[in-house]
Amino acid sequence: MPHFADTYSTEEAVAVRAAYADLIASLKPKLKGDDEINLNKAFELAFDAHQFQRRKSGEPYIFHPIEVARIAHEEMGLGPTAVICAIMHDVVEDTPINLEEISEIFGPKITQIVDGLTKLDGLYNLGNQNAENLKKVLSTLVNDVRVVLIKMADRLHNLRTIAPMPQHK
């Protein structure tokens, strides 16, 4: 497990552990094979990658991917593979971790979904909705619909926690 005490207060460390434990507990009935091992690897990777990041609210960033994963599972009904990807949905975009590292740890399926999330985020951030962007979004949908569902969970959590953002944003 990551060294929570190195980055967070005791209260934050307890809250992060509790949020992750709740996520794992809700997933237990669906876990098979190496799912729990891969979930722990994804959490450790995301925690380490985001450990010095904070949200606008001041809370540790790691709460965001945990909550996106919870929404994907509990509110959308997605399974362990999607939850693993949701935990890592911002890792490639916002940290030094690259797809090759994810591929070495998790293999091609999870890498493909995380790559799709990164590309979809890139399209969203461009701000223009031209035909080429729509074509890319649709091709992502064809490859794996979980990419779009995880991205929806991401946006939903961002909307639920929008209060600290400046009004013009």
Side-chain angles (χ1 to χ4, degrees):
M1 277 302 232
H3 301 285
F4 292 94
D6 295 346
T7 309
Y8 301 130
S9 70
T10 302
E11 295 81 18
E12 288 173 333
V14 168
V16 169
R17 288 179 190 197
Y20 182 65
D22 288 348
L23 176 64
I24 294 297
S26 76
L27 268 167
K28 278 282 187 200
K30 289 191 172 188
L31 298 179
K32 300 178 202 140
D34 290 339
D35 287 342
E36 191 163 1
I37 291 167
N38 286 328
L39 282 160
N40 288 330
K41 286 180 187 177
F43 175 71
E44 290 176 24
L45 180 74
F47 176 84
D48 287 343
H50 294 300
Q51 68 180 310
F52 298 110
Q53 295 175 320
R54 297 223 170 226
R55 300 201 71 198
K56 293 279 187 204
S57 66
E59 79 175 357
Y61 190 85
I62 191 65
F63 282 115
H64 173 66
I66 292 170
E67 184 61 14
V68 171
R70 189 204 61 75
I71 291 167
H73 172 62
E74 293 179 9
E75 296 183 35
M76 296 179 162
L78 300 178
T81 299
V83 170
I84 290 165
C85 297
I87 290 170
M88 297 188 298
H89 80 275
D90 281 335
V91 168
V92 173
E93 187 75 24
D94 296 341
T95 77
I97 303 295
N98 61 43
L99 285 172
E100 291 77 26
E101 292 170 272
I102 290 175
S103 181
E104 288 173 14
I105 298 167
F106 298 99
K109 189 57 174 175
I110 288 173
T111 303
Q112 178 186 8
I113 295 170
V114 172
D115 185 35
L117 287 162
T118 302
K119 288 178 180 170
L120 199 55
D121 201 39
L123 293 174
Y124 176 82
N125 289 332
L126 289 176
N128 60 8
Q129 294 298 316
N130 63 31
E132 188 60 31
N133 284 350
L134 182 57
K135 181 179 165 186
K136 288 178 184 176
V137 169
L138 292 175
S139 74
T140 299
L141 260 173
V142 169
N143 287 331
D144 199 320
V145 71
R146 291 176 290 192
V147 171
V148 175
L149 294 173
I150 295 166
K151 185 51 68 179
M152 289 172 64
D154 175 39
R155 296 294 178 227
L156 178 58
H157 184 249
N158 285 339
L159 286 171
R160 287 178 177 170
T161 57
I162 201 166
M165 294 297 289
Q167 188 66 34
H168 71 278
K169 294 279 184 169

